[in-house]
Amino acid sequence: TASVPLVTKLDLDQILESVEKKLIERTLEKHRGDQTATAEALSIHRSRLLRRIQALGIGRTPENLGGGSESS
């Protein structure tokens, strides 16, 4: 008989993404938004952290999603 997996790959991907997002958010909070310190704490390059922040939508709120220009 074939066994049915309890967690599908899609579910696992969603779970891992959720865990990664929470970890980055909490680490950013701990370091008061300092991305360099956050990257060091997570043992990743700052450029990777920035890509993950963008991909995971971290820091986006309905207020700052309006089509205005972003400051550097």
Side-chain angles (χ1 to χ4, degrees), residues 19-63:
V19 169
E20 181 182 18
K21 183 175 182 176
K22 279 288 184 202
L23 178 62
I24 292 172
E25 288 173 335
R26 289 180 180 174
T27 307
L28 277 165
E29 287 174 14
K30 179 180 177 182
H31 293 283
R32 298 181 179 157
D34 183 331
Q35 294 173 348
T36 300
T38 297
E40 289 174 1
L42 295 172
S43 298
I44 61 175
H45 288 277
R46 186 171 176 272
S47 60
R48 171 134 178 96
L49 174 65
L50 296 176
R51 284 193 304 273
R52 296 310 298 152
I53 286 171
Q54 183 176 19
L56 296 168
I58 294 173
R60 293 184 184 171
T61 62
E63 297 80 34

